[in-house]
Amino acid sequence: MKEELAINGGEKTLSKEFNWPIFDQSDIDVVQEVARSGNWGNPDCLGLVQQFEKQFASYCGSKYAMTCVNGSVALRLALISCGVRPGDEVIVPPYTFIATASIVLEANCVPVFVDIDPDTYNLDPAEIEKAITPKTKAIIPVHFAGQACDMDAIMKLAGKHDLRVIEDAAHAHGGEYKGKKLGSIGDAGCFSFQSSKNLTSGEGGIVVTDDEELFDMMNSLRNVGRVKGGQWYEHHNLGCNYRITQFQAALLSEQLNRLENQTQKRNENGIYLNDLLNKIDGISPLTRGHGETLHTYHIYIFKYDKTKFSGLSKREFAEMLAAEGVPSFMGYPEPLYKQPLFQEKNFMCYAIPDDVDYTKVCCPETEKACYEDAVWIMQNVMLGTKQDMESIAEAILKIQKAAIE
Ligand SMILES: Cc1ncc(COP(=O)(O)O)c(C=O)c1O
């Protein structure tokens, strides 16, 4: 049986390629049109860029949207524009991409890591409350993998303690919480358009908000400190050039037309795959029913219990599954606070208080997710057929059978 595993030269369970990004002639046409027009840049933040921003704001049910070069810059401009001061504390989860926390340092603020809920891998509101101090100024909840955070609880805490909420929706384009688009619930919602994301132009980012003052400041910061009605060489704020090109905007407008159907498809497949995997001893998909009305499945995550696989490590299991043709891997190898950046305080010129010490931070649920439990399957697989979902379950059962044989 062991020799039948694809990793040992046997036949793959799933032999299909899962492409990403998905595009056709219409995407090529809009990019060619921009090339022919000669209007490639975006000096005044107008034209196709502004058109896409309006389209995305309306899709999210927000008043304003501002594009910028990537999701990290989107988060940083949103945080700075909220008015944080050096030394302020910002609550972030440790189970996320580095940018969620590193942009806090880049704003001369202190990331405070709060553990995740093991059922959803999102910030646990009970833990947030314990971490709030007089220095806390903002919370950055990440809708991890496209699963909505408990936004009612987070907004309630923010109201009680006068905190700003910046949603990190880099995984969550089109996702919903109680019928509201993710990103549109807090003070600002930030998205990434990097290559792997559910809406992409290769690179890029956007912030949505209903707050005009916040929007005007972010706009100024992405456009070298210029202000509405000001002159070209008149700079009021410490910004930079973070503008995207017309090529990106044209592609994004075209891609946005596909997003809703794709999100519905991933959501349906996710529910179906949950049913299939819940039947396998030792495999537990993250739970639903925490307010998400549409899950984007940027990542499909399930928990792996090696004791039901004869002690096969998570890494080996994920490699075997990938060999079977299911694009999967073990996810983050460790919590963010374990990265050399935090452990060695490699904060360079940034003004981070001396007494900050990440060597004693411990978030047990995040450590369990990284070291033992979490296995990831990427979003393009979730655009497959029902048969593909069945093949994923089949591949896992094949590995389990070989392991316990
Ligand atoms: C949760 C999360 N936040 C922020 C970002 C940053 O986005 P970008 O890579 O566009 O800067 C990413 C990107 O992978 C992400 O996964």
Side-chain angles (χ1 to χ4, degrees), residues 285-304:
L286 293 189
T287 62
R288 297 190 49 132
H290 303 269
E292 81 291 327
T293 38
L294 195 53
H295 191 320
T296 74
Y297 286 108
H298 174 62
I299 309 169
Y300 180 92
I301 304 178
F302 62 84
K303 294 198 220 178
Y304 167 75

Side-chain angles (χ1 to χ4, degrees), residues 119-373:
D119 291 339
T120 60
Y121 287 4
N122 282 331
L123 272 180
D124 180 342
E127 295 297 314
I128 297 179
E129 182 136 44
K130 288 188 214 157
I132 293 172
T133 74
K135 288 190 189 163
T136 311
K137 290 290 153 33
I139 308 171
I140 308 187
V142 181
H143 302 297
F144 197 76
Q147 161 93 311
C149 290
D150 184 347
M151 290 309 289
D152 281 350
I154 290 172
M155 295 310 289
K156 201 167 156 200
L157 278 177
K160 183 170 159 197
H161 298 275
D162 194 20
L163 308 176
R164 305 300 291 263
V165 175
I166 298 168
E167 298 173 68
D168 182 339
H171 297 179
H173 320 68
E176 288 175 10
Y177 174 77
K178 299 189 177 174
K180 283 206 88 191
K181 286 283 177 215
L182 299 179
S184 70
I185 303 164
D187 293 275
C190 304
F191 298 81
S192 162
F193 299 135
Q194 171 268 344
S195 305
S196 69
K197 298 300 187 292
N198 291 20
L199 181 64
T200 180
S201 51
E203 298 289 355
I206 200 163
V207 189
V208 296
T209 183
D210 286 342
D211 181 334
E212 190 176 357
E213 219 176 294
L214 190 65
F215 176 66
D216 285 344
M217 181 54 86
M218 293 191 298
N219 244 312
S220 173
L221 298 184
R222 71 124 174 219
N223 199 19
V224 286
R226 294 185 181 120
V227 291
K228 260 196 284 195
Q231 299 299 308
W232 186 253
Y233 287 125
E234 190 185 318
H235 309 279
H236 291 252
N237 297 303
L238 182 51
C240 192
N241 174 2
Y242 296 121
R243 303 181 302 257
I244 64 165
T245 67
Q246 307 276 353
F247 291 103
Q248 288 162 286
L251 204 46
L252 286 165
S253 285
E254 203 55 34
Q255 289 283 318
L256 184 55
N257 296 328
R258 297 185 175 87
L259 180 65
E260 190 60 29
N261 283 344
Q262 290 176 339
T263 309
Q264 294 289 350
K265 175 93 187 169
R266 291 187 192 95
N267 187 51
E268 264 168 43
N269 273 334
I271 292 169
Y272 186 54
L273 189 56
N274 280 352
D275 285 347
L276 297 171
L277 299 196
N278 268 322
K279 294 188 187 113
I280 303 178
D281 196 21
I283 299 292
S284 324
L286 293 189
T287 62
R288 297 190 49 132
H290 303 269
E292 81 291 327
T293 38
L294 195 53
H295 191 320
T296 74
Y297 286 108
H298 174 62
I299 309 169
Y300 180 92
I301 304 178
F302 62 84
K303 294 198 220 178
Y304 167 75
D305 177 358
K306 72 175 178 187
T307 65
K308 307 291 181 193
F309 287 73
S310 294
L312 187 71
S313 75
K314 181 174 93 151
R315 181 187 293 273
E316 286 169 305
F317 167 81
E319 282 168 7
M320 285 178 181
L321 191 57
E324 292 298 330
V326 180
S328 54
F329 75 116
M330 53 173 279
Y332 299 128
E334 55 189 5
L336 272 189
Y337 52 78
K338 293 275 188 197
Q339 291 287 339
L341 166 66
F342 294 102
Q343 292 290 306
E344 297 166 16
K345 295 179 45 166
N346 295 328
F347 302 149
M348 297 179 290
C349 64
Y350 293 97
I352 310 305
D354 285 341
D355 60 352
V356 166
D357 179 5
Y358 290 101
T359 61
K360 294 185 186 68
V361 177
C362 178
C363 296
E365 298 300 346
T366 300
E367 303 212 350
K368 194 158 186 302
C370 293
Y371 302 139
E372 292 170 38
D373 290 351

